[in-house]
Amino acid sequence: MFSSMGNEYISGQQIAQELGCSRQAIWKAMDELRQDGFEIEAIRRKGYRLIGNSDQFSKSELLYQLNTSHIGQVIELYESVSSTQIIAHEKAKDGAKHGTVIMAEEQTSGRGRMTRQWSSPKNTGIWMSTILRPTIHPQEAPPITLVVAVAIAQSIEELTGIIPTIKWPNDILVGSKKIAGILTELQSEMDVIHYMIIGTGINVNTEEFPEELKSIASSLLIETGEKQSRVKLAQLIWEKVEKLLDIYEKHGFAPIKLLWESYVQSIGQEIQARTLQGTYQGIMRGITDKGVLELELSNGRIVPIYSADIEIL
Amino acid sequence: MFSSMGNEYISGQQIAQELGCSRQAIWKAMDELRQDGFEIEAIRRKGYRLIGNSDQFSKSELLYQLNTSHIGQVIELYESVSSTQIIAHEKAKDGAKHGTVIMAEEQTSGRGRMTRQWSSPKNTGIWMSTILRPTIHPQEAPPITLVVAVAIAQSIEELTGIIPTIKWPNDILVGSKKIAGILTELQSEMDVIHYMIIGTGINVNTEEFPEELKSIASSLLIETGEKQSRVKLAQLIWEKVEKLLDIYEKHGFAPIKLLWESYVQSIGQEIQARTLQGTYQGIMRGITDKGVLELELSNGRIVPIYSADIEIL
């Protein structure tokens, strides 16, 4: 009933009639929605009007018209946590279902890849960890980071019109600045995945970054000049992750790889890859079906890069 | 000084002279050894004699002449735990070093692969979980189970003269009965291993199995007719795991594969492989360099089997 969010008022009586319940029940529901963070205006003889959403996430808003079977269907929402990733590990160990999402308005010690810090200020971003129990073998897990990167890139494009770029392995950029990052963790036996945790940090409505991050980080608000709906973005991501994951499980990485490459600008360019074993320089040729980056050195030799920080030269 | 365990007495004075310390210090040390579970006889004017080891593990005995750099150098010993695997996960998360071993005299809910039960009665076996932080990529982790299987088979052979067989992926048999099992768990990011936990359950001095296990399980005591040293076996395994792991990290799986195949009897034989996707029947052709089993169907097609229970037909 609130799908045409905007200037229209709708009377309590009309809602009650449409839903076949009492006006008392409507009044109670409105109160609950308000407590969940919706801003609802109520004017005598005119009715109710949804003004907008507060800067707070609410479960009912996140679940409203969410078009998934599993991902995001169970949400645990926190005001402030050290890291959603840590909570997700605990919940997964306790048997949380495939698709359960742990979200927080703020992380006090959010983590990126390799225990790097991730800034997660209050009410400005999407800081969430999704528990997956995919029906794949552990060997097939590494490309999942790339599947999620495509889902985030597509969602940002659909919401804002901006076409982001993916930086292998786990960053989403707008221009040269980081908008989002992915941290994929795996807990498995040798031949069976117990669970995966997909951590995603997305700078949505950050107005300003601290001095030390200004040159490397940005937000959708800064890039578009407009506040963006965190709820809509989260829903888009869940829908696309579910869809792409299904494609990956059924058809392998080939169809995803095409999508992934369409968001990557460094293919064919000279890059530097800093690995734990040393630094390599060469032309990025692409990725394999296992998600491994292929770097062509000046002598023509192709080096597989499993793990690195890359930079376009 | 106790290396020639047996009938010889050695006087406190002689020990004190050799070690350059007081007889008081020797007396104190003997007392500590007794508390650790050594049975030491002390007779006036004759001296001390190590009668034997009790049925209890002791740290000093486990560390005595242990020839490793890391594996087994830190041991946490428990009387009774639900599962050493669970404790090892906690310790690993708290930063336990590469090679740390969690051992227990008894597990009340020991686990095998895919959360199957593992019987771990008191003081009869080696129930331990080893924390590894190998310098390999997550993609290279699956063959570690096979590396450990070879180490256990070699150790049993060296200790008892019995040549055990390895049943892919994670069991060690004598004849057709299970002597040991391996449960390898991995916690990783997509491109970096946080840690691995290698759980090993070995039936050493089990005298009798409950009725329902009698036809499928055995122990080294039952197979050799003699009580075996759990300490010596644990030390052998740690030494061999360390050595083979080093070979694997430096030279890959090829040299290990040769050793592994020498303990496997099902190669070239008709087997049935029950997987989550269905049951396959065919000739076991061997394993790939990733540790994946290759099954040749009757139509000549080779099917890669990542995870299954196999049975020789």
Side-chain angles (χ1 to χ4, degrees), chain A residues 89 93 113-115 137 139 141-142 145 183-192 194 196 292 306-307, chain B residues 89 93 113-115 137 139 141-142 145 183-192 194 196 292 306-307:
Chain A
H89 273 286
K93 229 159 278 157
R113 215 167 113 243
M114 300 182 187
T115 69
H137 292 290
Q139 290 95 326
T145 301
L183 171 63
T184 309
E185 292 183 290
L186 171 70
Q187 163 89 44
S188 74
E189 289 179 34
M190 282 304 93
D191 50 358
V192 184
H194 290 168
M196 294 178 73
V292 176
Y306 293 90
S307 171
Chain B
H89 274 286
K93 229 160 278 157
R113 216 167 112 243
M114 300 182 188
T115 71
H137 292 290
Q139 290 94 326
T145 301
L183 171 62
T184 310
E185 293 184 288
L186 171 71
Q187 163 88 46
S188 74
E189 289 178 33
M190 283 303 94
D191 50 357
V192 185
H194 290 165
M196 294 178 74
V292 176
Y306 292 91
S307 172

Side-chain angles (χ1 to χ4, degrees), chain A residues 115-275:
Chain A
T115 69
R116 290 169 190 164
Q117 232 182 314
W118 181 275
S119 164
S120 325
K122 202 150 192 159
N123 304 341
T124 60
I126 298 177
W127 327 125
M128 67 180 177
S129 297
T130 306
I131 297 166
L132 299 183
R133 301 186 187 274
T135 58
I136 55 173
H137 292 290
Q139 290 95 326
E140 301 165 309
I144 298 274
T145 301
L146 311 182
V147 169
V148 174
V150 170
I152 294 176
Q154 285 181 332
S155 300
I156 288 175
E157 185 176 353
E158 188 170 326
L159 184 75
T160 67
I162 291 176
I163 300 175
T165 58
I166 295 175
K167 185 181 167 199
W168 183 90
N170 71 327
D171 290 331
I172 315 287
L173 314 181
V174 172
S176 61
K177 294 180 179 177
K178 200 187 282 196
I179 288 277
I182 303 160
L183 171 63
T184 309
E185 292 183 290
L186 171 70
Q187 163 89 44
S188 74
E189 289 179 34
M190 282 304 93
D191 50 358
V192 184
I193 290 180
H194 290 168
Y195 61 81
M196 294 178 73
I197 310 267
I198 315 290
T200 40
I202 306 168
N203 305 326
V204 183
N205 293 325
T206 325
E207 288 177 7
E208 208 181 359
F209 284 89
E211 212 48 58
E212 69 274 18
L213 293 177
K214 262 185 183 154
S215 63
I216 54 166
S218 189
S219 72
L220 296 179
L221 182 150
I222 293 170
E223 297 299 323
T224 62
E226 280 173 16
K227 209 167 168 182
Q228 300 291 337
S229 165
R230 293 189 298 157
V231 171
K232 191 67 208 150
L233 185 57
Q235 289 183 329
L236 282 170
I237 291 170
W238 295 337
E239 288 166 7
K240 288 178 198 301
V241 167
E242 184 163 293
K243 203 167 140 197
L244 293 172
L245 203 57
D246 187 55
I247 293 174
Y248 178 57
E249 290 185 22
K250 285 192 185 130
H251 308 289
F253 190 59
I256 310 289
K257 193 170 146 180
L258 290 172
L259 294 169
W260 188 84
E261 285 174 345
S262 74
Y263 285 105
V264 173
Q265 290 192 330
S266 46
I267 292 177
Q269 295 200 27
E270 179 131 37
I271 64 164
Q272 193 180 60
R274 268 172 291 127
T275 78

Side-chain angles (χ1 to χ4, degrees), chain B:
Chain B
M1 63 195 172
F2 280 135
S3 53
S4 61
M5 192 175 89
N7 295 316
E8 290 172 52
Y9 286 90
I10 184 164
S11 76
Q13 190 166 11
Q14 196 186 334
I15 300 172
Q17 266 169 10
E18 274 183 29
L19 299 178
C21 60
S22 70
R23 290 188 60 176
Q24 213 72 24
I26 298 301
W27 178 85
K28 202 166 156 245
M30 290 298 168
D31 200 48
E32 279 171 11
L33 285 170
R34 279 202 190 100
Q35 281 172 25
D36 267 355
F38 289 90
E39 282 180 67
I40 296 166
E41 191 183 25
I43 293 188
R44 261 187 175 287
R45 299 191 201 278
K46 283 183 109 172
Y48 298 99
R49 189 176 69 133
L50 179 62
I51 299 177
N53 316 328
S54 76
D55 278 340
Q56 289 285 113
F57 277 126
S58 78
K59 266 194 213 180
S60 34
E61 204 181 353
L62 285 163
L63 290 169
Y64 182 63
Q65 292 189 321
L66 172 63
N67 188 20
T68 63
S69 304
H70 297 98
I71 297 184
Q73 290 298 336
V74 177
I75 303 169
E76 296 206 11
L77 209 51
Y78 295 86
E79 194 52 34
S80 178
V81 299
S82 61
S83 152
T84 56
Q85 209 74 357
I86 291 171
I87 297 177
H89 274 286
E90 285 166 13
K91 300 290 174 183
K93 229 160 278 157
D94 291 348
K97 273 191 210 164
H98 173 70
T100 299
V101 174
I102 311 299
M103 291 183 99
E105 291 290 0
E106 175 188 46
Q107 293 185 110
T108 53
S109 48
R111 284 187 294 133
R113 216 167 112 243
M114 300 182 188
T115 71
R116 289 167 191 165
Q117 232 182 315
W118 182 274
S119 164
S120 325
K122 201 148 193 162
N123 304 341
T124 61
I126 298 177
W127 327 125
M128 67 181 178
S129 296
T130 306
I131 297 165
L132 299 182
R133 300 186 187 274
T135 57
I136 55 174
H137 292 290
Q139 290 94 326
E140 299 165 310
I144 299 276
T145 301
L146 310 183
V147 170
V148 175
V150 170
I152 293 176
Q154 285 182 333
S155 301
I156 289 175
E157 186 177 351
E158 188 169 325
L159 184 74
T160 67
I162 291 176
I163 301 175
T165 58
I166 295 175
K167 186 180 167 201
W168 184 90
N170 71 328
D171 290 332
I172 315 287
L173 313 182
V174 173
S176 62
K177 294 179 178 178
K178 200 188 278 196
I179 288 277
I182 304 160
L183 171 62
T184 310
E185 293 184 288
L186 171 71
Q187 163 88 46
S188 74
E189 289 178 33
M190 283 303 94
D191 50 357
V192 185
I193 290 180
H194 290 165
Y195 61 81
M196 294 178 74
I197 311 267
I198 315 291
T200 40
I202 306 169
N203 305 326
V204 184
N205 293 324
T206 324
E207 289 178 5
E208 208 181 0
F209 284 88
E211 213 47 58
E212 70 274 17
L213 292 177
K214 261 184 184 155
S215 63
I216 55 166
S218 190
S219 73
L220 296 179
L221 182 151
I222 293 170
E223 297 298 324
T224 62
E226 280 174 16
K227 208 165 168 184
Q228 300 291 337
S229 166
R230 293 188 298 156
V231 171
K232 189 69 207 149
L233 185 58
Q235 289 183 330
L236 281 170
I237 291 170
W238 295 337
E239 287 167 8
K240 289 179 199 300
V241 166
E242 184 163 293
K243 203 169 140 193
L244 293 172
L245 203 58
D246 187 55
I247 293 174
Y248 178 57
E249 290 185 24
K250 285 191 184 130
H251 307 289
F253 190 59
I256 310 290
K257 193 171 145 182
L258 290 172
L259 294 170
W260 188 85
E261 285 173 345
S262 74
Y263 285 104
V264 174
Q265 291 192 329
S266 47
I267 293 177
Q269 295 199 27
E270 179 130 38
I271 64 166
Q272 193 180 60
R274 267 173 291 127
T275 77
L276 291 175
Q277 287 76 41
T279 299
Y280 299 88
Q281 195 165 319
I283 308 290
M284 176 169 170
R285 281 296 165 216
I287 49 168
T288 69
D289 281 355
K290 308 274 179 210
V292 176
L293 187 146
E294 290 188 314
L295 192 71
E296 186 182 330
L297 305 185
S298 58
N299 63 10
R301 195 161 67 91
I302 304 269
V303 180
I305 306 280
Y306 292 91
S307 172
D309 291 309
I310 69 166
E311 215 167 320
I312 302 182
L313 296 175

